[in-house]
Amino acid sequence: MVAIVDKEKCTGCENCVDICPSAAITMQDDLAVVDADACVDCESCVDECPVEAIHME
């Protein structure tokens, strides 16, 4: 499993960047991007996203 960001929903709030324990999420062009290799499947970003732009696959 890995976190997937819906670019259409992401508002660039950076909440997911701040909460990610493995620093797997960065910002590119004001949108969240997940490094699949660094993601530890904790789902913290899913719970933290205020616009439900992140899901696990």
Side-chain angles (χ1 to χ4, degrees):
M1 300 279 291
V2 66
I4 304 294
V5 178
D6 182 336
K7 302 292 185 195
E8 298 295 317
K9 291 182 179 180
C10 181
T11 62
C13 71
E14 297 189 30
N15 288 0
C16 57
V17 174
D18 295 336
I19 199 74
C20 182
S22 62
I25 306 175
T26 57
M27 299 299 290
Q28 291 181 3
D29 298 324
D30 295 323
L31 298 175
V33 175
V34 177
D35 176 349
D37 293 330
C39 180
V40 294
D41 311 328
C42 69
E43 298 188 33
S44 294
C45 57
V46 174
D47 296 333
E48 188 69 19
C49 184
V51 294
E52 299 179 357
I54 306 174
H55 67 276
M56 300 301 288
E57 274 187 15

